[in-house]
């Protein structure tokens, strides 16, 4: 219980700090006034309420989503190096965005309905990720071996990346630049208008992950043991993939492909909890994902001469040492 209280306190501190860090310096007293609604400069109010607050909330939601999806995938495949991008969902989302940005001119039309701009990009990413998820779910009904399903996910990822390469090859330099910016990852692109939809989708996926705690614990002991406990392996795997796909597709669609969070955070949670029981690792992984993404957001928001530091330039500095430790620990 102490570790949960401590981690919750760290999250609160990081959340508060994230509201003060940015290109524009806003005094502490003015930020507090804005948050309590007593008023301040209109420009400062817009920065805090329309930019920094949604960015921090988005980081918390996406961090929790990616972290718990990584934990579920590592349990399903019994592979400590499995991550949310292992099934090709990130690549599928990237392909969807590439098609929207580079082939459709940033506009998606279905019949008489047409959307453009950021909404079109989010829609393209979401459709691309869900299409890959559909392929994986279809193949999961044929392939009972988790290792084979893992290999299929890697192959689908390579195919999606090849398609992205072809699309970018024939695109304009301006379009390729825009796509490259999206690929760096950014929590600041979600405004107050998109935050409710992001929150609802993430809550659905996180709720499913909590409901899967018992099947996840059973899968740790092997498929045969899980079946003896009355766990429907095929149904549990399908629901697990749906939950993971929804969480990863949502985070990637709104914020771009975020590296290392889903791969690293579950290991951090296991090392702190010193336990593989998902009754403790699932909630601690969710909280750890929130804390680590808030920390990365603060670092990326520190003003520089060239603007905001790309998020995916920061996450590897946290993720790589953890993964190296896991590999060396397993080897020893």
């Amino acid at each position: 219980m102490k570790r949960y209280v401590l981690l919750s306190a760290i999250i609160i501190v990081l959340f508060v700090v994230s509201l003060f860090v940015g290109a524009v310096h806003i005094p502490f007293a003015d930020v507090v006034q804005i948050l309590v609604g007593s008023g301040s400069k209109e420009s400062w109010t817009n920065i805090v309420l329309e930019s920094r607050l949604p960015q921090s909330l988005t980081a918390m939601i996406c961090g929790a989503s990616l972290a718990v999806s990584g934990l579920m995938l590592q349990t399903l495949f019994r592979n400590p190096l499995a991550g949310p991008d292992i099934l090709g969902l990130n690549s599928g989302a990237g392909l969807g965005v590439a098609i929207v940005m580079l082939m459709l001119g940033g506009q998606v039309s279905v019949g008489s309905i047409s959307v453009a701009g950021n909404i079109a990009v989010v829609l393209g990413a979401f459709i691309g990720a869900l299409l890959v998820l559909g392929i994986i779910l279809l193949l999961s009904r044929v392939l009972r071996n988790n290792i084979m399903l893992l290999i299929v996910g890697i192959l689908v990822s390579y195919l999606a990346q090849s398609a992205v390469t072809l699309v970018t090859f024939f695109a304009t330099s301006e379009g390729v630049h825009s796509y490259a910016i999206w690929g760096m990852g950014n929590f600041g692109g979600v405004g107050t208008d998109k935050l409710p939809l992001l929150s609802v989708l993430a809550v659905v996926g996180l709720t499913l992950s909590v409901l899967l705690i018992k099947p996840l614990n059973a899968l740790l002991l092997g498929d045969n043991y899980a079946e003896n406990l009355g766990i429907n392996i095929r149904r549990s795997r399908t629901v697990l993939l749906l939950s993971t796909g929804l969480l990863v597709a949502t985070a990637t669609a709104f914020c771009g492909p975020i590296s290392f969070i889903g791969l690293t955070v579950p290991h951090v949670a296991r090392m702190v909890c010193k336990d593989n029981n998902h009754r403790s690792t699932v909630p601690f992984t969710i909280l750890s994902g929130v804390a680590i993404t808030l920390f990365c957001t603060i670092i990326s928001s520190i003003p520089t001469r060239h603007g905001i530091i790309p998020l995916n330039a920061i996450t590897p500095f946290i993720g790589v040492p953890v993964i190296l430790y896991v590999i060396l620990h397993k080897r020893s």
Side-chain angles (χ1 to χ4, degrees):
M1 182 59 68
K2 290 183 179 179
R3 57 175 174 258
Y4 289 101
V5 174
L6 177 60
L7 185 55
S8 299
I10 292 173
I11 290 173
I12 293 173
V13 172
L14 290 173
F15 178 76
V16 173
V17 171
S18 68
L19 300 179
F20 293 90
V21 179
V24 178
H25 173 69
I26 303 177
F28 177 84
D30 290 277
V31 174
V32 173
Q33 288 180 359
I34 292 170
L35 293 176
V36 299
S38 60
S40 183
K41 290 184 179 180
E42 184 178 354
S43 59
W44 287 357
T45 301
N46 289 333
I47 290 173
V48 173
L49 297 182
E50 301 296 329
S51 178
R52 294 181 185 177
L53 181 60
Q55 175 177 276
S56 299
L57 293 174
T58 300
M60 296 171 68
I61 294 170
C62 292
S65 300
L66 294 173
V68 78
S69 63
L71 175 65
M72 291 191 292
L73 288 175
Q74 288 169 12
T75 300
L76 175 65
F77 294 117
R78 301 188 189 93
N79 188 333
L81 298 181
D85 55 347
I86 200 67
L87 294 179
L89 297 177
N90 282 352
S91 299
L95 177 59
V97 171
I99 292 174
V100 170
M101 283 187 174
L102 307 179
M103 295 182 63
L104 302 180
Q107 180 173 326
V108 177
S109 300
V110 180
S112 59
I113 301 175
S114 179
V115 293
N118 290 332
I119 298 178
V121 172
V122 170
L123 182 61
F126 202 78
I127 292 175
L130 290 183
L131 283 176
V132 172
L133 176 62
I135 295 173
I136 299 299
L137 286 174
L138 181 63
L139 292 174
S140 69
R141 296 183 176 275
V142 180
L143 300 173
R144 298 183 60 87
N145 188 301
N146 287 333
I147 300 300
M148 293 301 296
L149 189 61
L150 186 67
I151 294 173
V152 168
I154 295 173
L155 293 176
V156 172
S157 178
Y158 277 120
L159 284 175
Q161 291 174 12
S162 298
V164 169
T165 302
L166 287 174
V167 173
T168 55
F169 179 78
F170 293 102
T172 62
S173 58
E174 294 81 3
V176 173
H177 176 73
S178 299
Y179 179 77
I181 295 297
W182 176 85
M184 293 179 182
N186 179 25
F187 292 133
V190 179
T192 53
D193 56 332
K194 301 176 188 174
L195 196 56
L197 178 59
L198 171 64
S199 302
V200 170
L201 293 174
V203 167
V204 172
L206 291 172
T207 301
L208 286 175
S209 68
V210 173
L211 295 176
L212 286 167
I213 287 177
K214 181 179 178 180
L216 286 168
N217 279 335
L219 288 172
L220 284 175
L221 303 173
D223 291 351
N224 293 332
Y225 190 87
E227 289 177 350
N228 290 334
L229 291 177
I231 302 296
N232 188 319
I233 299 298
R234 177 170 292 186
R235 184 175 62 188
S236 298
R237 185 169 62 170
T238 300
V239 176
L240 196 152
L241 288 172
L242 277 172
S243 174
T244 303
L246 177 62
L247 291 170
V248 176
T250 301
T252 306
F254 282 88
C255 305
I258 308 298
S259 63
F260 279 100
I261 297 297
L263 180 61
T264 304
V265 176
H267 295 295
V268 174
R270 290 192 194 97
M271 286 187 286
V272 175
C273 293
K274 298 179 181 179
D275 188 6
N276 284 326
N277 190 334
H278 288 81
R279 294 187 184 278
S280 57
T281 55
V282 166
F284 200 83
T285 297
I286 291 174
L287 292 177
S288 299
V290 171
I292 291 175
T293 48
L294 275 176
F295 176 75
C296 293
T297 301
I298 292 171
I299 299 301
S300 69
S301 300
I302 295 175
T304 66
R305 290 189 304 170
H306 302 286
I308 295 176
I309 303 172
L311 193 64
N312 281 334
I314 298 170
T315 52
F317 284 98
I318 297 176
V320 170
V322 174
I323 299 305
L324 287 176
Y325 171 81
V326 171
I327 293 174
L328 294 175
H329 180 71
K330 291 290 183 182
R331 179 177 177 271
S332 62

